[in-house]
Amino acid sequence: MGLPALEFTDCCLDSPQFRERLKSHEAELDKTNKFIKELIKDGKSLIAALKNLSSAKRKFADSLNDFKFRCIGDAETDDEICIAKSLQEFAAVLRNLEDERMRMIENAGEVLITPLEKFRKEQIGAAKEAKKKYDKETEKYCGVLEKHLNLSSKKKESQLQEADSQVDLVRQHFYEVSLEYVFKVQEVQERKMFEFVEPLLAFLQGLFTFYHHGYELAKDFSDFKTELTISIQNTRNRFEGTRSEVESLMRKMKENPHEHKNISPFTMEGYLYVQEKRHFGTSWVKHYCTYQSDSKRITMVPFDQKSGGKGGEDEAIILKSCTRRKTDSIEKRFCFDVEAVDRPGVITMQALSEEDRRLWMEAMDGREPVYNSNKDNQSEGTAQLDNMGFSIVKKCIHAVETRGISEQGLYRIVGVNSRVQKLLSILMDPKTAETEDEICSEWEIKTITSALKTYLRNPAISGDHRNRMLPGPLMMYQFQRSFIKAAKLENQESRISEIHGLVHRLPEKNKQMLHLLMNHLANVAKNHKQNLMTVANLGVVFGPTLMRPQEETVAAIMDIKFQNIVVEILIENHEKIFNTIPDTPQSNSQLLLSRKRSTDSKPPSCSERPLTLFHTVQPSEKQENRNSIINSSLESVISSNINSFLHSNSTPQSNMNSSDPDLEVIKPKRPNSLSPSRKAKALYACKAEHDSELSFTAGTIFDNVHPSQEPGWLEGTLNGKTGLIPENYVEFL
């Protein structure tokens, strides 16, 4: 079980459960920090003490083997599983190298030590500073609150109002600091998946370069290295999209905290001060209280946020009555009395404010309870999948397949927002729909693809045609969790079978529309050598378009990567899923047996999970700094920083088009003349699918490269073997 997601809504309640979840994240960060420090120490010993190389390398390998990654969420993607087991793979390689007595380590300081120290200081160090600020604000807020609540109700009204305003300001500042700290903690947890493993991978590549006797071992490791490189890049791409979604949610919470209420099983919950009688008088003890109207059960947990621990045993009572306490009967403000069925006497409680007391009173005095809205119960509505809807989608698909199937960045590059809206208005106009069978050629392909995504995603659109937009995702809210659960199954065969059955449970028109779209996306993927849109890239684009949860939470955002996997499976298996009847659901025992076969899966091929080809151009200073850190044999794999692919699902923007200078499409260099043979360098990793093809990693140098008789392929020589090479994957030297 992974680390629990920290919801921003919990920052406002600041409940004991939230504090416990936060502690688990802090403990994991401390554990990671200690491990990185130990790893850095071991690496320096490896460089400085060549005479003790054997013992130092074995200790380093043991450290790697013992560490286990913990991901946020209840399941891991195949890429995360690959990254998680990478440390054990690295340890095995190091032990083999020790058996061969290899002693050449020259670039370990730059390749390994510097990135780890940078990650520990910049990321984990920043999280520690955020924790200090959070603890300081917690203590300040609780102190101000206690001082405020101890004010006498007999003071002047102006003084009381001024005190209330001061508390509100402190409370708001504490809430913002809490949101920022939670965001930073989860960001570091996600970053370590790739910023921590990448230096280790680069270190191993350096060892292969300098150890002559490690040549055979490097060949054995190459398949896993390719798979891991792809997994790191995919994880990085997903992280960029996930981070932007979480950051957007945090900004919404800062701007309108009251509009994002946490879905709670309780009618009311929060902190109350309970009056307790002691031998020396009375005292007010802070409790976290919950109330359930159905059972009239009140639970009181003594808890002090400053100490971070419980102050006694939990207590539960059954409510009999609740009465507001008059101001002139007690010196404390915001008080009310509670009588219990199973406890004699009256319990006096103090709320945190007048509004807080009103909410507690409304919840417990027999009037209509106040519940948090549950969006899961809202009606999903009927999607506008009429003839007009199918006509819109078919026109867009026809235009793309006849005019733009080979355009680079198809569906990734977005059109100008105003033109997209205009095209949608034309397509949704019944008069225009009857007279025009096709989209005229004046519309750019990127405008057409953005219009199709906008129609399917259902963002807000101006004009009188908004009722034509889909009120919910094509794959429907009610099936969201089922599709995500299916994508989390360990065995690929089980995933396909489960998704197959879920698709056939969709309404007929939804299924027909999905079938139409998947056939089209399969055609797009077939032309990925021209348009650079592989199945994985299309999954990133259409995952959040076709699927999304009703409740926007951090946990839901973390599941975006599984939405992408669902779309990948639909594209790759569209003929089976839509043209055949699903099998009878497997029993639990059959599912368990099928999952055991998951470990036999082979590394991905070029067509199955090729590397993303888009990247954002970095400033020269950052690029030079990164090149100084990464070994030259891994520069083409790591330094290009293929990020922001998950941002492809954002709504169209007016300032972004295919000629944007900040967006660069990697194009391999072509020779001036195709007749002579030349040397070429691999830009990306690729695994052969046939005996006539060559497998290679990024940075590989080929000899005798020349055009082949196969369109889109070159022929070259690697380690004495001649075979085919995808021409989009290399550049000529």
Side-chain angles (χ1 to χ4, degrees):
M1 193 67 179
L3 292 169
L6 298 174
E7 298 294 347
F8 289 132
T9 52
D10 291 338
C11 294
C12 183
L13 290 175
D14 199 16
S15 66
Q17 293 80 7
F18 168 72
R19 289 281 179 158
E20 289 298 322
R21 290 193 293 270
L22 188 58
K23 276 187 176 180
S24 66
H25 280 261
E26 292 170 347
E28 179 66 16
L29 284 180
D30 288 337
K31 177 181 175 183
T32 303
N33 184 44
K34 292 177 181 177
F35 175 73
I36 293 177
K37 290 174 67 176
E38 185 67 21
L39 202 61
I40 293 173
K41 178 182 177 182
D42 294 341
K44 290 180 178 179
S45 298
L46 191 61
I47 297 171
L50 290 177
K51 294 181 181 180
N52 299 322
L53 180 62
S54 178
S55 60
K57 286 178 63 178
R58 289 195 179 277
K59 185 175 184 296
F60 185 71
D62 292 340
S63 298
L64 291 177
N65 191 60
D66 293 340
F67 184 76
K68 301 293 187 299
F69 279 114
R70 295 183 67 191
C71 302
I72 296 176
D74 58 356
E76 298 175 341
T77 64
D78 291 341
D79 293 321
E80 289 171 339
I81 292 173
C82 176
I83 292 175
K85 72 176 183 180
S86 62
L87 299 186
Q88 285 71 41
E89 293 288 336
F90 296 156
V93 170
L94 290 174
R95 292 191 183 102
N96 287 330
L97 285 175
E98 171 55 24
D99 293 338
E100 296 294 330
R101 291 291 193 182
M102 296 299 110
R103 310 178 75 171
M104 296 292 293
I105 303 176
E106 296 180 356
N107 296 330
E110 294 181 355
V111 172
L112 179 67
I113 305 301
T114 303
L116 290 179
E117 287 181 336
K118 182 178 179 181
F119 174 76
R120 189 175 70 85
K121 292 177 181 178
E122 295 182 0
Q123 299 301 324
I124 298 180
K128 287 185 175 181
E129 290 298 321
K131 174 175 170 55
K132 291 179 181 179
K133 184 177 180 182
Y134 176 70
D135 292 338
K136 182 178 179 181
E137 289 301 323
T138 298
E139 184 175 358
K140 178 181 177 182
Y141 167 63
C142 293
V144 170
L145 184 61
E146 290 178 358
K147 181 179 179 181
H148 176 66
L149 294 175
N150 285 326
L151 285 176
S152 174
S153 60
K154 296 180 180 180
K155 287 186 176 292
K156 293 181 180 180
E157 184 64 24
S158 60
Q159 292 178 328
L160 295 177
Q161 290 180 355
E162 182 180 355
D164 291 344
S165 300
Q166 182 182 3
V167 169
D168 289 340
L169 290 175
V170 174
R171 182 186 295 112
Q172 178 64 26
H173 185 62
F174 168 72
Y175 181 51
E176 292 178 358
V177 171
S178 178
L179 286 172
E180 292 171 354
Y181 177 51
V182 167
F183 172 74
K184 186 61 182 177
V185 167
Q186 296 196 113
E187 179 188 19
V188 176
Q189 295 284 19
E190 286 291 292
R191 277 183 178 275
K192 70 179 182 182
M193 292 297 292
F194 52 87
E195 290 196 3
F196 180 40
V197 176
E198 272 186 340
L200 297 171
L201 180 61
F203 168 70
L204 289 177
Q205 182 63 33
L207 288 179
F208 294 147
T209 303
F210 293 105
Y211 283 81
H212 174 72
H213 296 289
Y215 175 73
E216 291 297 327
L217 182 59
K219 288 201 302 183
D220 295 338
F221 185 77
S222 61
D223 287 343
F224 178 77
K225 185 185 69 174
T226 301
E227 180 184 2
L228 179 60
T229 302
I230 295 171
S231 296
I232 290 173
Q233 292 178 354
N234 289 335
T235 303
R236 183 193 297 276
N237 291 337
R238 290 170 181 147
F239 162 77
E240 291 295 338
T242 301
R243 183 183 184 278
S244 65
E245 293 285 345
V246 175
E247 190 173 13
S248 174
L249 178 58
M250 183 185 71
R251 284 196 295 265
K252 292 178 184 177
M253 296 289 295
K254 284 185 176 181
E255 294 170 0
N256 300 296
H258 299 294
E259 292 183 5
H260 297 78
K261 298 295 184 181
N262 187 36
I263 298 176
S264 172
F266 302 107
T267 308
M268 187 65 185
E269 61 180 319
Y271 283 100
L272 292 171
Y273 283 82
V274 180
Q275 186 182 50
E276 295 184 359
K277 295 181 179 180
R278 305 288 174 86
H279 295 293
F280 51 84
T282 60
S283 63
W284 294 85
V285 181
K286 195 174 187 179
H287 288 69
Y288 190 83
C289 301
T290 60
Y291 175 68
Q292 179 59 261
S293 62
D294 295 338
S295 61
K296 291 187 174 295
R297 180 184 178 89
I298 303 174
T299 303
M300 299 180 291
V301 180
F303 188 84
D304 188 353
Q305 294 151 291
K306 292 186 292 184
S307 63
K310 290 184 179 181
E313 297 296 326
D314 299 358
E315 183 179 2
I317 59 174
I318 304 300
L319 177 67
K320 180 180 179 181
S321 65
C322 177
T323 307
R324 177 172 177 164
R325 191 70 178 263
K326 293 183 179 180
T327 304
D328 56 3
S329 66
I330 191 170
E331 292 187 358
K332 296 283 187 178
R333 305 170 67 199
F334 320 133
C335 294
F336 58 94
D337 292 336
V338 170
E339 288 186 277
V341 175
D342 50 350
R343 173 174 167 174
V346 175
I347 305 173
T348 301
M349 297 181 174
Q350 182 185 27
L352 303 183
S353 65
E354 185 62 41
E355 176 66 15
D356 192 36
R357 176 170 67 173
R358 183 185 67 79
L359 294 175
W360 279 103
M361 293 290 295
E362 287 183 358
M364 293 194 295
D365 68 358
R367 289 174 288 178
E368 184 67 18
V370 178
Y371 294 100
N372 289 328
S373 60
N374 190 339
K375 296 185 180 179
D376 287 339
N377 295 329
Q378 294 178 357
S379 173
E380 190 170 325
T382 304
Q384 297 293 332
L385 294 179
D386 52 9
N387 292 335
M388 175 71 74
F390 278 92
S391 174
I392 292 170
V393 174
K394 288 179 180 178
K395 287 179 181 179
C396 292
I397 290 176
H398 177 73
V400 172
E401 294 193 348
T402 55
R403 295 198 280 121
I405 195 71
S406 299
E407 281 202 12
Q408 290 188 349
L410 189 64
Y411 285 108
R412 183 208 180 278
I413 299 176
V414 298
V416 179
N417 188 40
S418 59
R419 290 187 58 78
V420 172
Q421 302 253 359
K422 183 178 179 181
L423 176 59
L424 279 171
S425 297
I426 294 173
L427 292 174
M428 293 178 185
D429 189 344
K431 296 180 181 179
T432 307
E434 293 177 359
T435 57
E436 297 183 7
D437 295 331
E438 297 181 0
I439 300 175
C440 60
S441 57
E442 71 178 56
W443 295 99
E444 294 179 294
I445 291 299
K446 64 180 181 180
T447 303
I448 298 173
T449 56
S450 296
L452 177 59
K453 289 191 296 180
T454 302
Y455 172 76
L456 294 173
R457 184 171 176 81
N458 177 34
I461 181 172
S462 59
D464 298 331
H465 303 291
R466 184 173 178 179
N467 60 335
R468 287 283 178 188
M469 304 302 290
L470 299 181
L474 186 63
M475 296 173 70
M476 305 183 70
Y477 290 127
Q478 67 192 71
F479 293 104
Q480 169 77 10
R481 293 180 182 177
S482 299
F483 277 115
I484 294 298
K485 185 177 179 181
K488 292 179 179 180
L489 294 175
E490 298 179 11
N491 180 263
Q492 182 72 0
E493 182 181 342
S494 302
R495 296 175 192 168
I496 296 172
S497 177
E498 190 70 18
I499 292 174
H500 190 182
L502 289 171
V503 167
H504 283 262
R505 290 171 58 190
L506 292 171
E508 186 61 29
K509 288 192 175 182
N510 291 61
K511 187 176 70 174
Q512 291 175 5
M513 180 70 80
L514 191 62
H515 188 187
L516 180 66
L517 184 62
M518 290 304 115
N519 282 339
H520 168 59
L521 295 183
N523 290 334
V524 173
K526 288 179 182 177
N527 292 272
H528 72 272
K529 292 182 180 178
Q530 292 78 38
N531 58 40
L532 309 181
M533 294 304 291
T534 62
V535 172
N537 294 345
L538 290 171
V540 171
V541 173
F542 279 91
T545 299
L546 301 177
M547 300 172 61
R548 65 182 181 276
Q550 279 186 296
E551 187 68 26
E552 188 178 12
T553 64
V554 174
I557 293 174
M558 293 300 175
D559 280 338
I560 288 178
K561 54 195 174 187
F562 294 105
Q563 294 176 185
N564 304 344
I565 292 174
V566 171
V567 175
E568 290 179 32
I569 291 174
L570 289 175
I571 296 174
E572 292 176 335
N573 303 274
H574 67 100
E575 293 184 356
K576 173 184 177 181
I577 290 175
F578 292 99
N579 297 330
T580 62
I581 299 174
D583 299 330
T584 304
Q586 292 179 317
S587 64
N588 291 335
S589 60
Q590 290 173 322
L591 282 174
L592 288 174
L593 288 174
S594 66
R595 289 176 181 177
K596 291 181 179 178
R597 297 196 294 267
S598 63
T599 55
D600 299 331
S601 59
K602 61 182 181 180
S605 65
C606 298
S607 62
E608 289 173 337
R609 297 192 69 82
L611 301 180
T612 308
L613 299 183
F614 291 95
H615 75 281
T616 303
V617 179
Q618 301 292 324
S620 59
E621 292 182 3
K622 293 184 178 179
Q623 187 68 28
E624 291 174 2
N625 181 51
R626 190 170 182 83
N627 287 341
S628 68
I629 296 174
I630 305 300
N631 187 288
S632 60
S633 60
L634 268 183
E635 283 180 355
S636 59
V637 180
I638 301 173
S639 66
S640 63
N641 191 17
I642 306 173
N643 59 27
S644 302
F645 195 92
L646 290 177
H647 291 280
S648 61
N649 300 307
S650 59
T651 55
Q653 302 196 11
S654 59
N655 63 344
M656 183 175 183
N657 52 51
S658 58
S659 62
D660 193 329
D662 290 333
L663 184 67
E664 176 185 347
V665 181
I666 300 175
K667 295 181 180 179
K669 298 178 183 177
R670 300 299 305 272
N672 296 328
S673 173
L674 292 179
S675 54
S677 300
R678 302 179 60 180
K679 286 191 175 184
K681 179 180 178 181
L683 294 172
Y684 322 105
C686 181
K687 181 172 176 60
E689 295 180 338
H690 304 286
D691 293 338
S692 61
E693 301 172 10
L694 295 176
S695 295
F696 52 87
T697 58
T700 300
I701 304 299
F702 303 96
D703 296 319
N704 194 28
V705 180
H706 57 275
S708 72
Q709 296 180 353
E710 296 287 338
W713 293 81
L714 301 172
E715 191 172 275
T717 303
L718 176 63
N719 298 329
K721 179 182 178 181
T722 301
L724 296 176
I725 310 164
E727 67 176 5
N728 284 342
Y729 279 61
V730 300
E731 65 175 356
F732 284 87
L733 302 176

